């Protein structure tokens, strides 16, 4: 019997970091999660989290590490160019992990890794061209073209959340106006919902969150809608429709075989999102391009980025 | 001395068709142009035009034929799926030419062929990822990814003119609202210009075209602006800015190295278009994605589609 060969997949988020050890069948055999902010230097923090997952799995030997991180970053060198949330600038993430563990490491955008995971392990494994769309705190997108993650000339393609959908639309976090993200992210929804609460038009929200935007999480929106806050539903549907307009634009440009919808908002309100996105695609994608496109919900949940990252390092080692 | 080996490139438009014979240095050595509407059946008409170009060149023997045609079409089989302007449905264009001339033929979208021509023979030969954007009667786009024309799963990707840029925007010919084409095509401009003329706000236009939309061609717009019709300039700049918003969205999604702007409107008003597109890209593309993108005007003019088509059949024969 040969030695079991493990890989590590890591999800580096703005608030938490998760490392998962997978066996050669991609079954998770150990994991470790920590807040992103730490007292130790970031290189030490990351190595500690990976070590924590190895300890949890009781594994000493690994073949490689895949990491999904917020961008922009250079997937060829594994250097994070700039991640304001984490205070990283020209941070050689792959090199740090490679040097410490003595194995190859690969870094890609977290949304790309999530899309790759959903493609490799979810419902659309038979497709060669896949769009992943993940509305959440922002609106991220991942593009798979001809069976490979697409990076463009800069290495950072796929900023689908910053497509302009209304030239004079609402402010976006990027400093522009009318981006998909400014119209459809959780923050874009939450600001409308707290305004509803302040006006007395969202009783469930007012009772449970007051008018504090930070308390408006995906689950809270879902519960408010179930409890009968009809104006909250209207706001969420409006945002979901814009996600669908973004999907429609990308169907028109990229003509994928499948679209995977994921992220916190979709997980909390899957039917509503599929409903509105399908409606928007029917309204805004060209009939001959949309007719064979499957629109499916993501299946991997919180492990999507780690699984995609683990699979990507596995595929790179195999190629 | 070896035999000179010729290829034919053909531009199949809604109003005219052009065939050009090229030598092995891609120098045009003969050409023939006819109106698209003809009394003979379309297969005979096309073969006649190719033969006309061969006769003009004094060439009997060719290696292959490349053809750019309005879509949607299937580039793998060379079948035109549907071209309402020409009344073609499931029309086996490549097969017809192959059978008649006994040489390989390739068919692709006309805008793809134009983009391919500009990439192979224009200013951006050193780039691997190129976006071509051609505002005219419609707004067409061609995408080159990793040195190859991009077709997506359906074969008909790149419908950039039908990206939605304003959800409740003006009517588009496709039946939707707020597409780039509905905001920025020559017809979108012309309808505003004849309204200006009718209101007395475009004296040069009123004097030269009355209020007849069909007379508002690209050259006429350029002359009206030069003659001091400031409201016409405002309308054209507004449309050109939207072309730029479309370019910005595609930079955010695709991260190309270069964007080629062509088509009748750009040829007639190159400085205005480069100016407005650059302004829109600065406003609407992410700084880390736009910083190295070159935006250049097309160089091949009316021969772009034929040259791209000739080069594509040449490259296919060589591969």
């Amino acid at each position: 019997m040969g030695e079991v060969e493990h890989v590590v997949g890591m999800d580096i988020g703005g608030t938490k970091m998760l490392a998962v050890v997978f066996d050669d069948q991609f079954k998770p055999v150990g994991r470790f999660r920590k807040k992103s902010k730490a007292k130790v230097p970031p290189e030490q923090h990351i190595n500690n989290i990976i070590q924590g997952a190895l300890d949890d799995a009781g594994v000493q030997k690994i073949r490689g590490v895949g990491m999904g991180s917020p961008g922009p970053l250079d997937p060829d060198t594994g250097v994070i160019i700039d991640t304001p949330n984490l205070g990283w600038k020209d941070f050689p993430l792959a090199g740090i992990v490679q040097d410490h563990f003595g194995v190859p490491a690969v870094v890609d955008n977290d949304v790309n890794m999530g899309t790759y995971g959903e493609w490799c392990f979810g419902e659309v494994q038979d497709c060669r061209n896949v769009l992943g769309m993940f509305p959440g705190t922002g609106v991220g997108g991942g593009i798979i073209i001809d069976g490979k993650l697409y990076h463009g000339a800069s290495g950072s393609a796929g900023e689908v959340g910053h497509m302009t959908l209304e030239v004079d639309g609402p402010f976006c976090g990027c400093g522009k106006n009318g981006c998909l993200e400014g119209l459809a992210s959780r923050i874009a929804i939450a600001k409308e919902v707290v305004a509803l609460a302040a006006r007395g038009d969202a009783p469930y929200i007012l009772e449970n969150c007051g008018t504090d935007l930070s308390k408006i999480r995906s689950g809270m929106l879902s519960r408010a809608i179930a409890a009968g806050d009809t104006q909250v539903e209207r706001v969420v549907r409006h945002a979901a429709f814009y996600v669908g307009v973004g999907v429609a634009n990308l169907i028109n440009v990229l003509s994928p075989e499948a679209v995977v919808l994921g992220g916190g908002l979709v997980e909390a309100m899957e039917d509503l999102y599929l409903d509105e996105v399908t409606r928007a695609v029917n309204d805004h994608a060209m009939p001959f391009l949309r007719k064979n496109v499957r629109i499916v919900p993501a299946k991997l949940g919180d492990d999507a980025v780690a699984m995609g990252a683990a699979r990507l390092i596995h595929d790179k080692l195999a190629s």
Side-chain angles (χ1 to χ4, degrees), chain A:
Chain A
M1 196 178 101
E3 193 182 353
V4 175
E5 298 216 327
H6 295 88
V7 289
V8 173
M10 190 163 180
D11 181 356
I12 294 175
T15 55
K16 60 180 174 51
M17 297 184 182
L18 165 71
V20 183
V21 184
F22 294 91
D23 68 15
D24 58 357
Q25 303 300 305
F26 289 97
K27 203 164 73 74
V29 295
R31 60 178 62 225
F32 196 65
R33 183 193 301 258
K34 276 277 203 184
K35 283 195 177 151
S36 300
K37 295 267 160 68
K39 283 177 188 156
V40 298
E43 50 273 30
Q44 194 181 331
H45 191 50
I46 284 163
N47 290 334
N48 286 349
I49 293 170
I50 295 171
Q51 190 58 53
L54 294 177
D55 293 346
D56 184 48
V59 161
Q60 276 92 44
K61 198 161 172 288
I62 52 173
R63 295 175 59 219
V65 179
M67 292 173 279
S69 174
L73 53 79
D74 182 338
D76 290 332
T77 59
V79 172
I80 310 294
I81 296 164
D82 196 4
T83 298
N85 274 353
L86 293 167
W88 294 352
K89 232 181 145 71
D90 298 321
F91 182 69
L93 179 58
I96 285 164
V97 169
Q98 263 168 224
D99 289 351
H100 186 80
F101 292 96
V103 295
V106 64
V107 174
D108 210 320
N109 184 283
D110 48 1
V111 188
N112 285 353
M113 289 301 199
T115 302
Y116 199 73
E118 294 291 344
W119 176 54
C120 293
F121 301 110
E123 278 191 35
V124 294
Q125 293 170 39
D126 54 323
C127 299
R128 298 288 293 167
N129 300 281
V130 176
L131 167 68
M133 198 83 161
F134 298 83
T137 310
V139 178
I143 299 168
I144 288 166
I145 286 182
D146 201 20
K148 287 201 299 278
L149 278 170
Y150 179 71
H151 294 108
S154 69
S156 297
E159 285 287 345
V160 304
H162 299 288
M163 280 190 292
T164 301
L165 297 186
E166 301 283 2
V167 167
D168 295 312
F171 299 119
C172 181
C174 72
K176 305 193 290 144
N177 284 76
C179 300
L180 172 55
E181 192 163 306
L183 288 154
S185 69
R186 192 173 54 75
I187 290 177
I189 293 170
K191 78 178 180 187
E192 297 302 329
V193 165
V194 292
L196 288 175
R199 289 193 289 252
D201 291 334
Y204 183 91
I205 293 287
L206 189 61
E207 195 184 320
N208 288 280
C209 310
T211 54
D212 183 354
L213 183 144
S214 300
K215 292 185 177 160
I216 312 295
R217 315 291 306 182
S218 302
M220 177 59 67
L221 291 166
S222 169
R223 289 192 293 279
I225 292 171
D229 275 5
T230 54
Q231 293 302 304
V232 173
E233 178 166 355
R234 204 170 134 242
V235 165
V236 177
R237 283 192 179 272
H238 187 257
F241 183 78
Y242 271 106
V243 171
V245 174
V247 169
N249 282 359
L250 293 167
I251 289 173
N252 287 335
V253 172
L254 297 172
S255 184
E257 291 145 281
V259 178
V260 180
L261 290 176
L265 287 160
V266 175
E267 278 171 35
M269 293 165 283
E270 192 176 294
D271 290 348
L272 183 157
Y273 267 83
L274 282 174
D275 188 26
E276 291 294 330
V277 168
T278 302
R279 190 165 71 88
V281 167
N282 287 339
D283 284 2
H284 290 279
M286 299 295 277
F288 62 92
L289 294 174
R290 76 172 183 247
K291 69 178 174 185
N292 293 319
V293 180
R294 285 153 60 194
I295 300 176
V296 301
K299 285 294 169 211
L300 306 184
D302 284 350
D303 275 359
V305 174
M307 283 196 83
R311 176 65 183 251
L312 190 65
I313 185 68
H314 169 270
D315 290 352
K316 294 226 173 218
L317 289 169
S319 72

